[in-house]
Structures are given as structure tokens and as C-alpha cells.
Amino acid sequence: MKTDGAEVLSKTVTQDEAAILDAWNVALLEGTSLQSGRIREAELQTQVKTVFGQLRDALASGGLDADAAGFASLRETLADISRSRAIQGFTPTDTANFVFSLKEPIFDALKRMPDGDATALAAGVWAAGKVLDRLGLQTMEVFLASREEVIGRQGQEIAELSTPVVRLWDGILALPLIGTLDSARTGVVMENLLQAIVDEEAEIAIIDITGVPTVDTLVAQHLLKTVAAARLMGADCIVSGIRPQIAQTMVHLGVELNVVSKATLADAFAVALKRTGRKVVRQQASTEGRR
Amino acid sequence: MDRIPILKLGGALIVTIQVDMHDRLALALEEDLTAMIARTGARGVLIEISALEIVDSFIGRMLVSIAAVSRVLDAETVVAGMRPAVAITLVELGLELTGIKTALNVERGMALIQARLSDEDDGHGSDRDRHED
């Protein structure tokens, strides 16, 4: 007679529930996840109970295929747990161990089976291994996906933070660019700048590229687009902070920026002040040189 | 069919576009504006588009051609109040409206036109050079 691993496993899990739960709890308490203080014991126990109950029901519904419909609620619970762990900053090992530490208690329970014949034991162990490995892998997948989501969001936040628009004077804006300009960032930069032009009623915008490491044809094109869009809004643009090496590279590459450009932000600001009919003068020529 | 009203203010014509521009409306505007410039001898045209939310390549091209026609009739076109989203769209479409003056709002646009008008009052010679750029 062929021994059905799934049946053996389901029976053991149902009959020996209390012992398995206790052993699993102990294994988890010994693990590092509690000691790091990121989760409370009560919360962990609730998770254990829910997961175990759903595992029992799923096994009872038949089959070992963790992708089957019977396992849907269990998969969902595990996904929730692993997502929250990814956000709480658990290590991947801790997260995977949550499922994998259930192996030993179940194997032990299988060994304690009253009608201990070797074939049934082997089949039960194989079935348990198969299900738990699959569930563990799914947990990891969700964990990694959540981490990537967090990283993606941070990247977006950095992109937004790194494109500030600064008001230098009435109607004069500065846009200090730091980092490489790609098309996604150019979009953010352009939107921020144009909105600021509207909000501040700016006449002149200074785009400072001191923090842009390289200027190739693509970056130049992005810059020109930004300048053109600002012009459409009725604001003039000045590009400043082109470093000597970059200026050389640009000329060698044949990149042309057909806009007013100045070496430093200070020079550009002086031009902007002049164009808006202002002038900076020393208060008293002789004193310590404060403007 | 609807038509966009054209207002005369001193030596300037003012057009405010407050509905979605569709192609026939744009063509009608070009025609009306040309006739109006010829009739009134206006020297400046202010097109106010702060209510214009949707712009396509055709509308962009219409603005350029309105400006070109006005220039032939010796009137300068100023586009005022373009929204950021519209500006980005036009740039992405490759329409940078070269040759058209732009202003942030009507006030500044009128200031540009007034500056040109008063320049001409001072002397016609200085204005010739500005047509070249």
C-alpha cells in the first residue's frame, strides 16, 4: 500500500497540535527575532497561532501544493507577516526562520506517531519538508519585494529632495543641481522649477550645475529642455557652475548650450540683479568690507 | 461656431483663450486676428493662455504661425500665462516657440508690448535691429 505523506502529515499536525505549537514557540523564543526587541512576545504568539491554524486547515483540505487554493489564506497571512517584518527591519534570516523553525517540531511529532512504521514516517517528513520549504520561499519572496518597494520609495524621495528651488531675491530663483541628470530627474526638476516660477513670479532662473559630475550630450539636451520650458513661461535662464574640465569636455564633444552661461553662481546672480535693475554696492568703501 | 473675442487696448490687441482650443477654433482665431491687426494697425498682440490646459502640436504650430503672420504685419506677439504642464508638453513636442516673446502673466506681457510701443515713439531706427533676432 502506498503511504500518502499528505495524509500522515495532516493527521499528525491535527493530533499533536499542542506539542508542536509549544515546541515552535520555544524555537522562536530562542531565535534572534525576539531578542532584537523588534517584536513583542504576545504579537509573535498571535502570529504563530494564526499561521499554525491556517496550516492545519490547509493540510486538511488536502494536497501538498502550497500554491493551491486551500493554502490561499495561509499565504496571505505569511505575506502580511513578512511584509511587516521587512518594514520593521528584520534580517532575511529571521524572517525565513519564522517558517523554517516549524520543521523540527513537526518532524519530532511525526517521530512520536503511535503506529510508527518507517515508510509513513519518511513520507510524512518528505511532505512536511516540501510544504514548509515552499512556504519559506514565498515568505522570502514577499520580504524581498517589500524591501525593494521601500528602496524604490526612498530613491524617489531622494530625487525630490535633491532638486530644491531656492529663492535668491525677488523674482530670482536658483536651482542647484546635484548628481546625474537623467530624463526622470529632468522631469522632476522641470516641474519644480516651472511651479516655482509661477509661485514666485520669477523673471530669472539660475541653473547651477556645480554638482553635476558629467555633462554629455544627453545631459545638455535635458538642460536645454528645461531652459526652453522656463522661457515659455516667460522666465530667462542662466546656467552657472560649469567646471573647467566639463567646459573642455563639452567643447570637445561638440555640445553647445545656447544659453547665457557664467562660471560661478555669484557671477550669474550679479547678471540677474543687473537685468532686474538692481545693483549691489558697498555701504561704506572704507569699512571692513561688508556688503 | 464659437469665436474667440479679440479686444483692442491702445496699440495692442488682447486675446484670452478660455476654452479648449480645437483645430477649427485655432484657424478661425488666426484669420480674425490677422484681419483685426490689418484693420486697427495694432503693434502688439497679447495672447493669454492661462486657462489653456490641453495643447497639442497643432495648437503649438498655430501659435507660431500667428506670431509669424503678426510679425509680417509689424505686430509683436507675446504669449502670456502659460501653465507649467503646457510648457513641458510643448518642449517635449519639440515646439519651443522660437521667435515668440513670452511672459509670466498679462501684466508683464503688457509691459513688454508697452516697452516696444514707447521705443517706437522715441524713434523708429532703434526698432529695426530688434526684428532681426
Side-chain angles (χ1 to χ4, degrees), chain A residues 25-36 94 97:
Chain A
N25 262 325
V26 171
L28 283 175
L29 289 178
E30 280 168 0
T32 50
S33 55
L34 249 189
Q35 283 154 16
S36 61
D94 279 343
N97 268 346

Side-chain angles (χ1 to χ4, degrees), chain B residues 27-82:
Chain B
L27 286 170
L29 176 65
E30 184 182 0
E31 226 165 85
D32 290 354
L33 201 57
T34 317
M36 192 83 164
I37 294 170
R39 203 169 68 229
T40 61
R43 313 300 305 275
V45 176
L46 183 84
I47 304 178
E48 201 270 341
I49 57 169
S50 66
L52 191 65
E53 286 181 37
I54 299 165
V55 74
D56 57 17
S57 56
F58 185 78
I59 305 299
R61 213 155 50 81
M62 286 309 302
L63 286 175
V64 175
S65 78
I66 286 175
V69 170
S70 310
R71 204 174 305 125
V72 171
L73 296 171
D74 196 22
E76 184 174 54
T77 306
V78 176
V79 171
M82 189 181 293

Side-chain angles (χ1 to χ4, degrees), chain B residues 15-33:
Chain B
V15 181
T16 68
I17 298 173
Q18 298 189 345
V19 290
D20 282 340
M21 280 287 261
H22 49 79
D23 297 358
R24 259 198 293 163
L25 199 58
L27 286 170
L29 176 65
E30 184 182 0
E31 226 165 85
D32 290 354
L33 201 57

Side-chain angles (χ1 to χ4, degrees), chain A residues 94-109:
Chain A
D94 279 343
T95 312
N97 268 346
F98 177 72
V99 175
F100 289 140
S101 59
L102 180 56
K103 263 188 186 176
E104 203 182 348
I106 288 188
F107 288 176
D108 284 345

Side-chain angles (χ1 to χ4, degrees), chain A residues 189-231:
Chain A
V189 168
M190 219 192 260
E191 267 171 43
N192 285 354
L193 176 65
L194 298 193
Q195 195 52 51
I197 287 175
V198 174
D199 294 344
E200 304 279 348
E201 304 204 336
E203 287 169 57
I204 294 182
I206 302 172
I207 302 178
D208 184 75
I209 58 168
T210 314
V212 179
T214 48
V215 176
D216 53 15
T217 44
L218 201 65
V219 172
Q221 200 200 346
H222 288 323
L223 275 178
L224 287 177
K225 267 190 188 173
T226 310
V227 171
R231 197 193 72 87

